Amino acid sequence: MTEQNWRNWRIRIDDGNIAWLLLDVAEQKVNVLSSDTIDELRAVLDQVQTDRPRGVVIASGKSSGFAAGADISEFVPPPPAAQVGARLAIIHEQFDRLARLSVPTVALIRGFCLGGGLELALACRYRVAAKDDPATRLGFPEVQLGLHPGAGGTWRSVQACGPLAAMNLMLTGHTIDASKAERIGLIDRAVPERHLETAARRFIQGESRPHRPPLLARLTGIGVARPVLAEVLRRQVRKQANPEHYPAPHALVELWRQHGGSARTMLRAERESFAQLLQSPQSQQLVRLFRIQERLKEAGRSERFSAPRVHVIGAGTMGGDIAAWCALRGCRVTLQDRGAKYLAPAFERAHKLYRQRIRDPRARQQTLDRLMPDLAGNGADRADIVIEAIVEDRDIKRALFAELEPRLQPEALLASNTSSIPLEQLAEGLSDPSRLVGLHFFNPVASMRLVEIISGRDTAATAANRAAAFAVFLDRLPVPVRSSPGFLINRILLPYMLEALHLVTDGVPAPVIDQTMRRFGMPLGPVELADTVGLDVCLSVARILTAQFGGEVPAILEQKVVQGRLGKKTQRGFYEYRNGRIVTAATSGASGRDAEITDRLLLRLLNEALACLREQVVADADLVDAGMVFGTGFAPFRGGPMAYLRSRGADELRARLHELSAGWGAGFRPDAGWDDPRLWQHQQEGPNE
Ligand code: NAI
């Protein structure tokens, strides 16, 4: 066996004269395809052509996975389009060389294989991947960054698995496991991990036949079928994504419609389209949010959890779902409540979640086995983390803590899911208040990625760090927040929702308000949101926060609650519902008042966000943006409220606030935070806006 090393690649020629090209990018935990790595691939392929091995296997030299895709930091800020095009041309040249090698080439995939990593694999003649390793996932996440594949993936994926399956992968950005990848033809063989090398060798020795997609899948991409299918895709994409908000999926369909018949023109057009998308403000914001997410996850890496023991008290809406999610992510969970009848619905919901999320019946059973009912609360004595999610009542929570604390392990973390009670008040009476931290999940737990990590006056930094690391273990995004009424998200969201109700009082129909904000890019309008959260919950949060920060609770909200119209859960609120869907006739079309409605709602939100930054509820503007995007779905392509503020300009917005405060009162009086540009200008490493 001979071996030759580059900075990011190694070549090993084995006794069977097979060249093993190991990708092991220097100074990175995961393989990312930086310019440096691609430049070296040129030399590596030169070497392969000199060595003339019998075949080539490309694999990862890292245990973390095959390759995660392009090195995103090279796109921030985005280089000029011509420079991006030139860079892509170099990648295309090397991937084309790899694809044209006269000897068989195999990508051996273990762990994630995403974006540019998958494009590298697709440039090999064959692909084998591990089917028994949950970390092995394949996909094109580019669309989530406002992009589409740019290293030949738009052409090669369609060749491998037909246009429908390939477009589905690229348009959704979803990842798939090896078995599914084999079914659709993205890879040739899914095998148990221990057989990967043998499988790769067999392809090189010509003993295995490649997997091809069904004839029908291939036919849909050629001749007259292509424009017809492209039109169907175009309509579907239009329904799901506004092209002004998310241009990338539309550009991808158009690319294929126009050029899908020729490799040469498609590959050239792919580069041009990618370079153009990269310049779009939408993509720049999505890339920026991606990097903020990475920053949050990194901050939560202070401790590596493996199967921690978690005890959850309170099996209601939140506690039940938190417990189910913890078990899904590998924790051993005990769930406590006051009686069996409170536990039963939580277990029913857990079953439903696992049926949706876990295909393998054995794995599903194992997950269920990790979630145990515990009426006596014995699990608290052994737990690494205890999460309290009982009723929102300070005294009841305190009484529970007093009983609980003496039984906890010395190192155990004590967490509360409270949504409004200052941590200092809950910590009163604890002999060790430093271990108490807020772990504020959002509803529904399985789909909201944000967790606020709340530190009170006495919370130890180590406790907050552990809580953040635990959130990362749960695949959530931890945002560190200082204990203060409403914490970050509820505090910012409430004025926005209340202003919407003031608008209703002023005679603007709820559907007009909601549709305006959907057009802005919100997933739900503010009135629908209030109905979904529950008007009783909104009222109670509104009372707490207006008592603290001033403002008025709209009378209409109190009236609805008195009438028992609590929103979706009672089938009636501001809207009428049937089977969870609005039945009230919706008003359609623009109202001509978009600018006024949007400004009234968003300026309340921004004013409160600046107050939070001024009071250092969170450390910087990026955290506000991440919190609002991942906790409430704030239009991601706009990058969050603070990015929106920067894009419109603080001077213009402040002037608008003055105007509005003349007509609509004190809620619009600019917060002192507007006088301190550092509060909104602060950015980690964002694009130039
Ligand atoms: P819930 O009313 O649905 O559930 C509370 C559960 O706690 C009930 O099953 C009750 O039987 C149980 N419980 C009450 N006292 C107990 C005790 N001493 N020992 C054991 N179990 C006890 O309430 P929900 O909505 O799940 O809220 C729980 C906590 O989560 C609250 O602090 C709330 O503010 C917070 N929260 C709620 C959100 C929501 O959307 N519902 C969102 C984020 C936080």
Side-chain angles (χ1 to χ4, degrees):
M1 169 149 354
T2 62
E3 184 163 329
Q4 194 166 354
N5 292 338
W6 280 264
R7 235 171 84 76
N8 306 301
W9 295 87
R10 297 196 292 276
I11 303 187
R12 274 190 206 142
I13 311 278
D14 71 10
D15 298 341
N17 198 25
I18 295 175
W20 296 78
L21 264 55
L22 300 181
L23 175 61
D24 191 354
V25 176
E27 292 158 27
Q28 297 276 1
K29 281 190 228 134
V30 297
N31 284 328
V32 284
L33 300 177
S34 58
S35 308
D36 191 26
T37 310
I38 298 295
D39 289 343
E40 267 185 17
L41 180 61
R42 183 195 300 274
V44 169
L45 292 177
D46 286 346
Q47 186 65 42
V48 167
Q49 281 176 324
T50 311
D51 290 347
R52 300 174 141 270
R54 179 174 186 188
V56 174
V57 179
I58 298 192
S60 170
K62 293 194 192 295
S63 58
S64 56
F66 183 77
D71 182 354
I72 215 85
S73 64
E74 293 184 358
F75 298 148
V76 183
Q83 210 173 313
V84 177
R87 204 53 246 162
L88 290 176
I90 295 173
I91 304 178
H92 278 219
E93 188 192 333
Q94 297 316 313
F95 283 13
D96 288 348
R97 279 182 75 198
L98 174 63
R100 283 199 310 269
L101 282 183
S102 55
V103 296
T105 49
V106 185
L108 184 156
I109 301 161
R110 183 189 284 130
F112 48 77
C113 174
L114 304 172
L118 182 51
E119 292 175 291
L120 170 67
L122 281 164
C124 295
R125 202 179 297 172
Y126 309 105
R127 285 156 294 286
V128 297
K131 69 173 173 187
D132 52 353
D133 162 32
T136 297
R137 307 286 304 175
L138 299 95
F140 289 114
E142 289 87 345
V143 73
Q144 289 157 2
L145 302 180
L147 301 167
H148 57 57
T154 61
W155 171 259
R156 291 200 175 95
S157 63
V158 172
Q159 300 315 300
C161 46
L164 258 187
M167 282 288 164
N168 189 32
L169 266 185
M170 290 186 280
L171 288 171
T172 60
H174 292 164
T175 61
I176 54 176
D177 63 16
S179 302
K180 170 113 194 251
E182 182 188 54
R183 266 201 312 282
I184 66 171
L186 190 65
I187 63 167
D188 300 275
R189 207 67 91 235
V191 296
E193 196 175 344
R194 63 184 193 285
H195 294 160
L196 274 175
E197 292 188 3
T198 311
R201 279 205 173 84
R202 286 175 61 94
F203 274 109
I204 288 184
Q205 288 155 358
E207 293 164 12
S208 286
R209 291 172 60 78
H211 179 89
R212 285 289 164 249
L215 186 62
L216 186 65
R218 280 176 282 149
L219 287 181
T220 44
I222 55 175
V224 289
R226 197 174 77 242
V228 176
L229 181 56
E231 183 54 26
V232 174
L233 288 171
R234 205 175 64 84
R235 284 197 198 153
Q236 272 177 7
V237 168
R238 196 159 259 282
K239 260 191 238 154
Q240 277 155 14
N242 177 341
E244 280 167 30
H245 297 172
Y246 297 101
H250 302 271
L252 174 61
V253 173
E254 190 52 22
L255 179 70
W256 181 67
R257 188 185 70 77
Q258 280 193 31
H259 306 288
S262 148
R264 203 171 50 84
T265 54
M266 175 93 168
L267 290 171
R268 197 185 53 226
E270 178 198 75
R271 296 198 290 270
E272 287 165 6
S273 172
F274 182 97
Q276 217 169 15
L277 287 170
L278 194 60
Q279 313 297 318
S280 68
Q282 295 92 332
S283 169
Q284 290 177 43
Q285 289 303 346
L286 293 169
V287 168
R288 174 178 156 264
L289 284 170
F290 174 81
R291 288 167 59 92
I292 300 176
Q293 277 185 69
E294 295 298 297
R295 169 189 159 201
L296 296 178
K297 287 191 215 159
E298 204 45 53
R301 294 239 157 85
S302 58
E303 181 171 342
R304 297 257 174 215
F305 284 96
S306 72
R309 289 175 201 269
V310 180
H311 183 70
V312 181
I313 311 176
T317 310
M318 294 305 288
D321 288 5
I322 293 169
W325 186 257
C326 288
L328 181 81
R329 297 295 306 170
C331 306
R332 287 163 293 166
V333 186
T334 41
L335 178 58
Q336 176 186 351
D337 206 301
R338 293 172 296 172
K341 71 172 181 199
Y342 299 107
L343 289 176
F347 276 80
E348 263 167 41
R349 291 202 305 279
H351 276 253
K352 189 166 164 215
L353 175 72
Y354 301 159
R355 271 198 306 275
Q356 287 165 353
R357 301 277 179 133
I358 312 172
R359 274 189 35 210
D360 175 20
R362 229 186 53 202
R364 201 184 305 145
Q365 187 55 46
Q366 283 166 351
T367 308
L368 268 173
D369 292 345
R370 283 197 294 271
L371 178 62
M372 281 161 290
D374 180 15
L375 282 175
N378 294 328
D381 307 2
R382 299 186 298 272
D384 302 303
I385 296 159
V386 174
I387 303 175
E388 169 278 310
I390 66 170
V391 282
E392 188 72 343
D393 181 303
R394 188 190 61 182
D395 295 333
I396 301 181
K397 284 187 197 282
R398 269 196 203 158
L400 174 77
F401 288 164
E403 184 272 322
L404 200 61
E405 191 183 22
R407 292 162 43 207
L408 300 181
Q409 291 288 323
E411 295 296 313
L413 196 65
L414 180 57
S416 170
N417 187 47
T418 177
S419 45
S420 61
I421 307 172
L423 235 55
E424 294 76 15
Q425 297 185 9
L426 293 181
E428 261 173 44
L430 284 179
S431 59
D432 178 10
S434 73
R435 61 158 57 162
L436 180 68
V437 66
L439 205 53
H440 188 211
F441 288 84
F442 289 79
N443 187 10
V445 175
S447 46
M448 301 308 284
R449 298 197 48 216
L450 184 77
V451 177
E452 289 181 318
I453 306 292
I454 321 283
S455 290
R457 194 187 46 231
D458 299 315
T459 306
T462 46
N465 290 340
R466 284 193 78 199
F470 177 60
V472 171
F473 176 81
L474 295 179
D475 194 28
R476 305 286 87 163
L477 289 171
V479 169
V481 179
R482 187 172 63 76
S483 172
S484 149
F487 308 130
L488 177 71
I489 301 302
N490 288 344
R491 172 153 171 210
I492 298 183
L493 202 58
L494 188 84
Y496 163 83
M497 290 198 334
L498 293 191
E499 192 57 30
L501 304 190
H502 286 306
L503 274 167
V504 174
T505 312
D506 295 344
V508 185
V512 169
I513 301 169
D514 286 338
Q515 283 174 19
T516 304
M517 294 323 287
R518 281 177 186 262
R519 273 195 294 279
F520 176 83
M522 302 301 196
L524 272 187
V527 187
E528 301 167 87
L529 182 62
D531 263 2
T532 307
V533 170
L535 300 183
D536 52 340
V537 177
C538 288
L539 180 60
S540 109
V541 179
R543 282 185 177 143
I544 296 172
L545 294 188
T546 47
Q548 184 76 28
F549 301 111
E552 249 178 75
V553 179
I556 195 167
L557 179 60
E558 312 214 355
Q559 284 157 15
K560 295 269 177 205
V561 173
V562 170
Q563 291 161 359
R565 298 178 71 110
L566 305 184
K568 226 171 175 176
K569 60 187 167 189
T570 56
Q571 311 281 340
R572 293 151 81 227
F574 284 91
Y575 293 94
E576 309 274 326
Y577 295 83
R578 195 171 308 130
N579 299 326
R581 286 178 182 272
I582 296 178
V583 290
T584 326
T587 313
S588 60
S591 63
R593 299 178 67 177
D594 274 29
E596 177 203 340
I597 295 172
T598 311
D599 278 359
R600 267 182 71 174
L601 297 177
L602 289 179
L603 280 168
R604 290 293 310 268
L605 187 155
L606 287 173
N607 215 23
E608 203 65 40
L610 278 174
C612 288
L613 284 166
R614 178 177 48 77
E615 295 169 17
Q616 296 180 336
V617 175
V618 284
D620 62 61
D622 283 352
L623 297 180
V624 173
D625 283 345
M628 289 303 286
V629 171
F630 301 114
T632 73
F634 187 102
F637 70 94
R638 294 191 191 272
M642 304 312 291
Y644 176 73
L645 184 156
R646 287 192 292 268
S647 75
R648 274 195 64 185
D651 291 342
E652 181 196 324
L653 290 175
R654 195 186 343 211
R656 236 355 233 142
L657 271 170
H658 281 298
E659 268 170 44
L660 289 169
S661 71
W664 307 107
F668 290 100
R669 194 172 306 130
D671 183 85
W674 290 90
D675 298 330
D676 185 355
R678 286 169 311 171
L679 295 182
W680 68 83
Q681 281 170 353
H682 177 93
Q683 271 180 285
Q684 285 292 301
E685 316 134 295
N688 303 323
E689 285 163 289

